[in-house]
Amino acid sequence: MRSNNVTAGLNRAPQRSLFMAMGYSPQELERPLVGIAGSANEVVPGHIHLRQVVEAVKAGVRMGGGTPVEFSTVAVCDGIAMNHRGMHYSLPSREIIADSVEAMAEAHCFDALVLVASCDKIVPGMMMAAARLNIPAILVGGGPMLAGEHRGKKIDLNTVFEGVGAVAAGTMPEAELEKILLQACPGCGSCSGMFTANSMNCVAEALGLAIPGNGTIPAVSAARIRLAKEAGVRVMELIRRNLTPQKILNRQAFANALSVDLALGCSTNTILHLQAIAYETGFSLELDRLNDLSRRTPQLCLLSPAGEDHLEDLHRAGGVPAVMGELARAGLLNKSLITVTGKTVEENLHGVSHPDGRVIRTIDRPYRKEGGLAVLFGNLAPEGAVVKQGAVAPEMMVNTGPARVFNSEELALQAIMAGQINPGDVIVIRYEGPRGGPGMREMLAPTSALAGMGLDKKVALITDGRFSGATRGAAIGHISPEAAAGGPLALVEEGDRITIDIPARRLEVSWSEEERAERQARWQSPAVKVGRGYLQRYATQVTSASRGAVLGGEEITQE
């Protein structure tokens, strides 16, 4: 056992003494030590209840014959951090989380890990650490929040964001928005739509790193506690079998995860995170592979923000296993892969319910014939850009309009709220990429304002930043190379004609090669926005969004 390095033998008497100081017994130190990485705090709704989930995991570890050892990581709430300086820290915190789990696991020689987290960057950060460390590990999410209700209609956090735009447009009284904000988020859990947190917890099931039910069992359900106990028991079996993440996270597992991602209509952020997790296993996921999968994987669910259903509805309809079962029956999944249950995908899917035909549709009657995400290429995005095509109105799938150029999210939002954006415009927000932001901020505030003003079917928005999973409309992000790296987005000028053709996977600006070269010669690299601290270090090391915005390191094998 790895833990013998800190618990066994004469030379480790001082280490045992330190464990004894915390109340551990000699018998406990003879068992495998399982690190329980939690992110409970009083800042994030998805994490406020995680102490109870962690205690359930610890009970399961003891039931399985191990000794749980709890420690914590940071967790940023994207909703609270949105549209101000705080959002610069959101994506970079993913690397802090992965590094902190690595540091604790290596410094204290844990034999295995159970990773307890909710919300956007925390879940992928934990999975990155699991892949990097390659010791037995299971992810346990905190579960989705229940949807709110207002005037007989289900609502969620996105309703509040869009309400801000409606108030600004004069179509909603501010007093109505105050009522909505009290009802939109009724309790603990990750925000109730298919936003990034829930997307990643669902995708973790498809990857094989989480137990079936992880993505959809509500945070307030007793079944969530039972799942946590089961994870604690199962991680002990993983130790006995030496079943480690890199035996699970092969290329076929990522293909399964992407197929489920596309069928569910998940957040665009999942692409960044899956690329980062793949990086930790030693290979890359090429963006054009996503288009290949998207062409043949239908979208079977239409969850908020694209539709009216929420995670609780998906759970009642059979959850991720029901979606995977339908994909498997169509030959769109590899069923032979091993998972953290100790069983194969096929064994996990034995006896799962068939689609209900509404929340989860069948292969022959999908919501869309293609998957929920697409990658666009062209002279504005030579390395690619990502769009949640499942949340784009049909009339915006092909669009050409004049560029309205803004060098920050704040400037764009000011123009939107001031009524300076017209139908047909293509809003360009640049210098918000991984390096330029720094931190690749989410653009939920401007996209929600557009939706609240009724412009989401009339105006497109493109950026080298990214979008919340709650964003809907013709919102195209992750444009690479980013503007701060001298990418083509940096050269766009007010009034340039930009063409978006999602079916053809194209993103183009109408300039000649001579004009582009002349602008490139005049372009000057912007000054670094942050001169000290973690963000400054992050900006100097982060790679392109087309590589998952990981911190720079060794080259990796191409997919």
Side-chain angles (χ1 to χ4, degrees):
M1 295 191 302
R2 279 168 43 103
S3 58
N4 285 344
N5 288 311
V6 294
T7 61
L10 174 64
N11 290 340
R12 297 299 180 251
Q15 284 89 340
R16 290 197 299 278
S17 179
L18 291 169
F19 275 106
M20 300 300 178
M22 294 180 282
Y24 290 92
S25 68
Q27 291 83 359
E28 287 178 297
L29 298 186
E30 292 171 0
R31 300 172 179 175
L33 298 185
V34 178
I36 314 297
S39 50
N41 62 47
E42 296 182 353
V43 180
V44 189
H47 296 242
I48 191 72
H49 66 303
L50 289 189
R51 289 288 314 135
Q52 185 181 12
V53 179
V54 164
E55 288 302 320
V57 171
K58 290 160 70 174
V61 169
R62 294 187 184 103
M63 289 162 61
T67 297
V69 183
E70 180 186 349
F71 65 96
S72 299
T73 70
V74 299
V76 170
C77 178
D78 281 12
I80 296 174
M82 193 71 65
N83 193 229
H84 60 85
R85 178 177 170 81
M87 182 49 70
H88 290 292
Y89 287 87
S90 176
L91 183 60
S93 74
R94 185 187 69 180
E95 317 307 312
I96 294 175
I97 291 159
D99 291 349
S100 65
V101 173
E102 175 195 357
M104 291 296 287
E106 294 285 49
H108 304 106
C109 299
F110 298 140
D111 296 297
L113 290 168
V114 181
L115 308 157
V116 183
S118 289
C119 301
D120 192 339
K121 308 310 165 309
I122 304 89
V123 171
M126 295 274 197
M127 288 198 284
M128 289 167 64
R132 183 187 304 172
L133 290 162
N134 200 32
I135 61 176
I138 296 180
L139 176 80
V140 178
M145 184 186 294
L146 297 177
E149 187 173 327
H150 181 68
R151 301 189 187 279
K153 181 181 178 182
K154 285 185 177 180
I155 61 173
D156 52 40
L157 180 65
N158 198 40
T159 313
V160 185
F161 272 100
E162 293 187 1
V164 174
V167 171
T171 59
M172 177 189 291
E174 192 166 351
E176 180 75 357
L177 179 58
E178 288 298 317
K179 293 177 182 178
I180 289 172
L181 72 86
L182 289 173
Q183 298 165 337
C185 300
C188 66
S190 46
C191 297
S192 58
M194 189 53 82
F195 311 148
T196 307
N198 292 325
S199 294
M200 287 307 302
N201 272 306
C202 288
V203 165
E205 286 189 45
L207 272 175
L209 276 186
I211 294 170
N214 178 75
T216 60
I217 295 173
V220 296
S221 172
R224 176 63 52 179
I225 301 303
R226 289 192 291 273
L227 181 141
K229 289 179 181 177
E230 181 184 357
V233 173
R234 287 193 180 275
V235 79
M236 298 307 300
E237 181 62 25
L238 297 185
I239 293 173
R240 286 185 278 272
R241 294 179 57 175
N242 191 31
L243 183 52
T244 59
Q246 291 197 22
K247 295 176 181 177
I248 295 170
L249 297 175
N250 54 34
R251 289 180 171 86
Q252 292 74 31
F254 280 93
N256 278 0
L258 286 169
S259 294
V260 172
D261 187 331
L262 292 163
L264 288 171
C266 289
S267 163
T268 52
N269 284 314
T270 57
I271 305 308
L272 279 175
H273 299 325
L274 285 170
Q275 287 178 302
I277 297 164
Y279 174 83
E280 297 293 349
T281 69
F283 62 89
S284 68
L285 295 178
E286 295 304 297
L287 288 176
D288 53 5
R289 284 290 310 279
L290 179 71
N291 281 338
D292 294 338
L293 286 169
S294 186
R295 296 289 193 195
R296 60 188 180 91
T297 305
Q299 185 172 343
L300 303 182
C301 302
L302 197 67
L303 303 167
S304 176
E308 299 299 319
D309 292 322
H310 290 75
L311 267 290
E312 63 198 73
D313 304 302
L314 177 60
H315 182 64
R316 282 191 290 265
V320 175
V323 174
M324 292 182 68
E326 184 67 4
L327 292 174
R329 283 185 284 273
L332 296 173
L333 285 186
N334 186 319
K335 298 184 290 184
S336 66
L337 305 179
I338 195 70
T339 72
V340 291
T341 65
K343 301 176 182 179
T344 64
V345 171
E346 184 172 24
E347 291 170 324
N348 286 342
L349 296 179
H350 179 71
V352 301
S353 59
H354 285 256
D356 66 341
R358 194 193 69 78
V359 179
I360 305 172
R361 289 196 174 179
T362 56
I363 289 287
D364 58 355
R365 200 176 66 86
Y367 280 103
R368 293 177 51 89
K369 292 182 179 180
E370 294 187 356
L373 301 178
V375 179
L376 311 186
F377 295 93
N379 64 1
L380 261 184
E383 295 177 8
V386 183
V387 61
K388 189 173 185 175
Q389 64 172 346
V392 179
E395 57 265 44
M396 293 298 293
M397 295 294 283
V398 179
N399 177 54
T400 298
R404 301 295 309 279
V405 182
F406 303 94
N407 288 340
S408 72
E409 178 191 4
E410 288 84 357
L411 292 173
L413 186 60
Q414 288 173 18
I416 293 168
M417 299 297 282
Q420 297 171 1
I421 302 300
N422 301 310
D425 286 347
V426 178
I427 299 170
V428 175
I429 303 179
R430 62 190 180 192
Y431 298 111
E432 291 286 7
R435 183 195 306 180
M440 204 177 182
R441 289 192 291 175
E442 289 185 343
M443 304 291 163
L444 181 57
T447 58
S448 296
L450 290 170
M453 292 175 169
L455 291 173
D456 56 304
K457 297 180 181 179
K458 302 174 182 177
V459 170
L461 191 156
I462 68 173
T463 181
D464 51 7
R466 59 194 179 91
F467 297 107
S468 165
T471 289
R472 61 187 173 98
I476 299 164
H478 308 196
I479 292 177
S480 301
E482 63 176 287
L489 196 67
L491 310 180
V492 175
E493 295 180 358
E494 191 82 6
D496 283 349
R497 302 290 291 178
I498 293 176
T499 296
I500 298 164
D501 189 338
I502 295 174
R505 307 299 196 252
R506 302 302 296 171
L507 180 61
E508 304 274 354
V509 60
S510 58
W511 57 31
S512 66
E513 181 56 31
E514 292 75 15
E515 187 174 13
R516 185 208 64 78
E518 189 274 330
R519 293 185 188 183
Q520 190 79 58
R522 287 190 283 111
W523 179 79
Q524 294 184 343
S525 179
V528 177
K529 295 179 182 177
V530 181
R532 58 183 297 178
Y534 178 64
L535 284 182
Q536 188 274 333
R537 297 195 302 275
Y538 179 87
T540 62
Q541 298 177 41
V542 70
T543 61
S544 169
S546 63
R547 292 184 58 193
V550 297
L551 297 187
E554 67 277 5
E555 289 299 313
I556 53 179
T557 304
Q558 298 298 303
E559 167 75 6

